[in-house]
Amino acid sequence: MWEYTDRVKDHFVNPRNVGEIENPDGVGEVGSLACGDALRLTFKLDDKKRIKDVKFKTFGCASAIASSSALTEIVKGKTLEEAEKVSNQDIANYLGGLPEEKMHCSVMGKEALEAAIANYRGEKVTQEEFEIICKCFGVTDREIERAIRENNLKTVEQVTYYTKAGGGCAGCHPKIEALIEKVRKEMGKEVPVAKPEKKKLTNIQKIKLIEETLGREVIPALKADGGDLELIDVQGDKVYVALRGKCSFCPSSEFTLKQYAESKLREFVGEDIEVEEVRP
Ligand code: FES
C-alpha cells in the first residue's frame, strides 16, 4: 500500500495553481494519456524576469497531482535560472517524500518545467538525437541516464520507478542494465551484480507463492487506488489475472500489470514469470 505523507495528501486534495495561464511566456508538455500520465505547465514572468504565475493541468494519479502542485509552489518567485536548478528530489522532498514506485511523477514535473523554459527561450527540444530505449513508454537513453545519475539508481526496477522505462514488455531491460553499468562507472560508483538464481519450485509451491506475493505486494496497493486484481490461472510461467474496480478501465492498466504484478512476481517467484490479463 502507498504510504503517502500528509503533505502529498494535502496537495492532492487541494492542489495549488491548477489551470492554464492566458498568453503564457512559456509552455511545457510532457507524458501522454496513453502512458497514464500527462502534464501541461504554463508560466508568466514579471518585469524582473521572475516567475510571477505558474499553473498546471495534469492527468495522473495522486502523486502526479501532488508533484505538479508542489512544483508550482516551489518555482513561484524564482528566476528561470533558479527554477531550472530544482530537481525531482527537491519536489519529492517538498512533499515530505514520495513512495519510490511513484518517483516518476516528480521526474515528470521537472521535465515539464524544463520544456516550458526551453519554449520561453525559443529552444527546440528534439528527441530525435536520442535513442528510444523503452518503446512501450517512449523513454530515451538521455532520460534514463539522467535519472540514474541524479538519483543514484542501481537497478532496472528503480529506473522503472523513476522513468517508467522497463515497466511494459521488459524487452528493454538489457539496454537499461547496460546504461546503469555505463553511468555508474562514469560516476565512480559500484556496479550492482546480478541477483542469485531462485530455487526451483513445485507447481503447488509456485501457485501458493504467487497468491501470497499478489496478496502482500500488489493487491493492497491497487485497493488503495480503488482497484483490485484477481488471480485466474497459472500455467507454467504464465500467470493469468483479471483487473477489477478502477484498474479495469484505467488507461495505464498495462503498466499496472507489468510494473506492479509482473515485476513483483519476478522478484519473489521467478525471473521468467509473465503476467497476462484475462478480459471478460
Ligand atoms: S520496451 Fe521497455 S518495457 Fe517494453
Side-chain angles (χ1 to χ4, degrees):
M1 184 180 303
W2 309 130
E3 290 285 337
Y4 288 129
T5 64
D6 288 343
R7 204 125 198 234
V8 171
K9 290 179 200 159
D10 177 34
H11 278 263
F12 168 52
V13 177
N14 306 298
R16 284 49 151 195
N17 310 307
V18 176
E20 179 149 1
I21 294 173
E22 265 185 52
N23 302 317
D25 289 320
V27 182
E29 274 186 86
V30 290
S32 77
L33 294 183
C35 292
D37 289 311
L39 172 59
R40 180 177 168 89
L41 192 89
T42 49
F43 70 77
K44 193 101 185 148
L45 298 176
D46 63 15
D47 50 9
K48 293 199 173 76
K49 300 285 181 207
R50 290 188 174 271
I51 296 175
K52 180 173 74 177
D53 200 7
V54 52
K55 290 194 186 296
F56 76 93
K57 281 182 173 174
T58 193
F59 172 84
C61 62
S63 310
I65 293 166
S67 294
S68 307
S69 171
L71 171 68
T72 57
E73 288 289 273
I74 294 170
V75 299
K76 228 183 228 183
K78 286 194 182 336
T79 64
L80 295 185
E81 292 69 30
E82 289 165 347
E84 63 192 346
K85 289 195 186 119
V86 173
S87 69
N88 72 284
Q89 283 293 348
D90 291 331
I91 297 169
N93 292 344
Y94 182 89
L95 291 167
L98 279 171
E100 193 175 29
E101 293 89 336
K102 294 285 185 180
M103 283 299 287
H104 59 268
C105 298
S106 64
V107 173
M108 187 169 73
K110 160 89 181 155
E111 287 174 352
L113 176 65
E114 284 175 346
I117 293 174
N119 172 258
Y120 168 75
R121 289 175 177 156
E123 297 165 359
K124 283 236 175 321
V125 183
T126 167
Q127 298 286 60
E128 281 160 23
E129 57 202 273
F130 305 109
E131 183 189 356
I132 303 245
I133 297 292
C134 178
K135 296 194 171 55
C136 290
F137 290 96
V139 188
T140 64
D141 52 353
R142 174 176 175 258
E143 294 167 89
I144 294 171
E145 286 189 22
R146 198 167 79 166
I148 295 167
R149 191 169 284 113
E150 291 183 357
N151 299 285
N152 192 24
L153 306 184
K154 299 187 177 107
T155 64
V156 173
E157 188 178 44
Q158 284 182 314
V159 169
T160 306
Y161 291 158
Y162 281 72
T163 67
K164 285 193 167 184
C169 69
C172 57
H173 285 195
K175 283 192 172 180
I176 296 176
E177 276 164 8
L179 286 177
I180 292 171
E181 186 174 342
K182 175 183 154 231
V183 173
R184 291 190 68 80
K185 275 187 183 156
E186 287 168 4
M187 292 165 70
K189 302 268 187 189
E190 99 280 7
V191 177
V193 289
K195 284 185 194 163
E197 275 195 22
K198 301 237 173 333
K199 69 173 179 146
K200 190 123 180 76
L201 299 168
T202 66
N203 277 346
I204 298 218
Q205 284 172 325
K206 187 192 265 185
I207 291 167
K208 269 189 108 172
L209 190 53
I210 288 169
E211 279 178 334
E212 276 173 23
T213 305
L214 291 175
R216 185 185 67 242
E217 300 284 337
V218 180
I219 292 171
L222 299 184
K223 282 192 169 164
D225 279 345
D228 202 355
L229 177 148
E230 186 183 340
L231 177 63
I232 303 294
D233 198 5
V234 178
Q235 291 175 18
D237 286 317
K238 291 235 194 252
V239 178
Y240 297 92
V241 300
L243 290 170
R244 306 285 190 222
K246 279 193 183 164
C247 292
S248 57
F249 49 83
C250 174
S252 53
S253 61
E254 174 75 6
F255 180 74
T256 302
L257 280 182
K258 297 293 176 185
Q259 172 59 41
Y260 301 125
E262 189 169 280
S263 75
K264 289 294 174 193
L265 291 176
R266 286 184 172 188
E267 182 181 351
F268 292 100
V269 182
E271 301 286 339
D272 297 318
I273 294 280
E274 282 179 35
V275 174
E276 291 200 5
E277 185 179 6
V278 176
R279 289 184 182 268

